[in-house]
Amino acid sequence: MEFIKVTEQKEQYVALVELNRPKELNALNHQLMQELLAALQQLDKNENVRVIILTGNEKAFAAGADIKQMADKSAMEMLMIDSFSTWDQIRKTKKPIIAAVSGFALGGGCELAMMCDIIIASETAKFGQPEIKIGTIPGAGGTQRLTKALGKAKSMELILSGRFLSAEEAVFYGLAVKVVPVEMYLHEALTLAKEIAQMSPVAVQLAKEAINRSFETQLDEGLAFERKNFYLTFASEDQKEGMKAFVEKRKPEYKGK
Ligand code: CAA
C-alpha cells in the first residue's frame, strides 16, 4: 500500500485507515482509491474489526479527485475508465465507517466523507464541492448525498458557487455529528468507535443497512426492510445475550454470532 496506511487494531476491534498522500493534500488518484477499496473489503471480512475509522491528516482529509490525473482525459476515456464505480463500492462496506475529518474535504474528498456513516469534524474542517470552479460538477455522489444531508437550497448554494461549509455549519446542517478542537478529532472518533464496538456487531450491521435503506427507498419499503432486520436480530446469540444481560442487570458480552 503506497497511499494509505492501515492499522488493523488501533484499539480493540477498531481499525484505522489513513489517507497518505500528504504533499498532494490526499488528492484521490486511481491507485489510492483502489488501495482504499481493497483495504476496506479486507477489514470488512476481518473478525477482529468491528468499526473502521477513515481519516487524512490535520491539513486535509482529501482535496478531491486527482485533477492532474484527469485534466486531459476525453469523455470517452472517463467513461471507459469509470473510476467512480470503484468509489461506489465503498458504500457496500458492512461495518460502520467513521470519517474523522480535519482540513480540506473537497470535491471527491467531501463525497468520500459522505460515503462514510458518521462524520466527526475538527474545527478546521472545510467541506465543499468546488468542481464548478474547474468547469465540472460532482461525480461521486455530491449532488445526491449533499442534498440529502443539507437540503436543496444550501446544496445549490455550495455546488453552484463552490463555497465551503465550515465545521460548525456542517454540524448545524447535520452533515457532521460533532466539531472538536483539531488535536481531538481523532480521539473523538476513537471514543465513538470504541462505544460502537461494544455493541453486537450483528445488530450494528443490520441497523446500518436499515438506515441506509431510508436513502434508497420510499417509507413503506424502508419500514418493511427495517422490520425484517429487527426480527432477524432474534436469530443471533447476541440478541439473546443482550436481553438476558439486561434482565440480569449485567454487562453483555457480544460474540458477533
Ligand atoms: N488534485 C490534484 N492535486 C491537488 C488537488 C487535487 N484535487 N488538490 C491539491 N492538489 C495539489 C496541488 O496541485 C499542490 O501540488 P503542487 O505542490 O505540486 O503544486 C498541492 O496539492 C498543494 O495544494 P495547494 O498548493 O493548492 O494548497 P493550498 O493550501 O494553496 O490550497 C486547496 C488548498 C484550496 C484545497 C487547493 O489545493 C484546491 O483548490 N484544490 C482543488 C480542490 C478541488 O477542486 N477539488 C475537486 C476536484 S474534482 C473532483 O473531486 C470530482 C469528483 O466529484 C470526484
Side-chain angles (χ1 to χ4, degrees):
M1 299 273 181
E2 186 181 350
F3 295 132
I4 65 166
K5 195 175 151 213
V6 179
T7 312
E8 212 177 273
Q9 294 287 302
K10 181 71 184 166
E11 297 277 348
Q12 196 189 18
Y13 296 129
V14 179
L16 178 68
V17 179
E18 293 164 274
L19 305 176
N20 189 24
R21 246 195 124 196
K23 268 200 260 140
E24 291 82 5
L25 304 181
N26 290 333
L28 304 165
N29 66 12
H30 195 58
Q31 186 186 331
L32 185 155
M33 291 308 289
Q34 295 278 2
E35 289 179 8
L36 177 60
L37 182 63
L40 291 175
Q41 287 175 337
Q42 190 254 321
L43 293 171
D44 217 20
K45 287 194 208 116
N46 183 335
E47 282 190 0
N48 295 318
V49 173
R50 292 184 178 179
V51 183
I52 300 162
I53 297 177
L54 177 63
T55 196
N57 54 56
E58 282 187 12
K59 182 152 188 226
F61 177 75
D66 190 324
I67 300 170
K68 291 168 193 163
Q69 200 170 52
M70 62 188 166
D72 295 330
K73 295 269 186 295
S74 70
M76 278 308 110
E77 283 171 316
M78 289 300 280
L79 184 74
M80 296 318 285
I81 297 166
D82 193 18
S83 35
F84 294 157
S85 63
T86 304
W87 294 39
D88 195 41
Q89 292 176 54
I90 287 174
R91 74 186 163 100
K92 305 273 185 322
T93 312
K94 292 182 176 146
K95 291 172 187 169
I97 309 178
I98 300 175
V101 175
S102 185
F104 299 112
L106 303 177
C110 185
E111 290 168 314
L112 179 60
M114 291 192 292
M115 284 175 206
C116 299
D117 302 303
I118 300 173
I119 299 177
I120 303 274
S122 98
E123 60 199 352
T124 65
K126 289 182 189 66
F127 299 89
Q129 299 288 161
E131 288 90 344
I132 202 86
K133 291 187 177 168
I134 52 170
T136 185
I137 69 166
T143 62
Q144 305 304 298
R145 292 198 178 91
L146 200 70
T147 307
K148 291 229 156 74
L150 310 182
K152 177 176 163 182
K154 194 68 192 169
S155 295
M156 284 282 185
E157 182 206 6
L158 295 184
I159 293 173
L160 302 190
S161 72
R163 285 183 184 177
F164 297 162
L165 198 70
S166 70
E168 279 83 15
E169 284 178 300
V171 171
F172 175 80
Y173 284 103
L175 182 68
V177 292
K178 201 161 183 183
V179 50
V180 291
V182 67
E183 58 279 10
M184 292 294 291
Y185 74 101
L186 202 50
H187 175 80
E188 190 65 33
L190 273 168
T191 303
L192 177 60
K194 282 193 285 182
E195 204 173 318
I196 296 172
Q198 308 264 309
M199 306 302 156
S200 158
V202 180
V204 167
Q205 181 184 316
L206 292 174
K208 167 172 168 165
E209 226 177 60
I211 294 167
N212 280 337
R213 243 338 131 98
S214 79
F215 289 102
E216 293 151 12
T217 54
Q218 299 299 318
L219 186 61
D220 264 351
E221 205 185 316
L223 289 175
F225 187 87
E226 179 197 68
R227 215 152 45 229
K228 280 197 202 113
N229 271 6
F230 174 75
Y231 298 145
L232 190 58
T233 63
F234 284 72
S236 72
E237 287 176 24
D238 282 352
Q239 173 274 329
K240 298 283 169 289
E241 166 65 8
M243 293 194 182
K244 196 158 172 268
F246 175 82
V247 174
E248 292 170 2
K249 298 189 190 299
R250 60 173 174 82
K251 204 166 176 282
E253 274 186 33
Y254 292 122
K255 299 201 179 96
K257 289 183 185 163

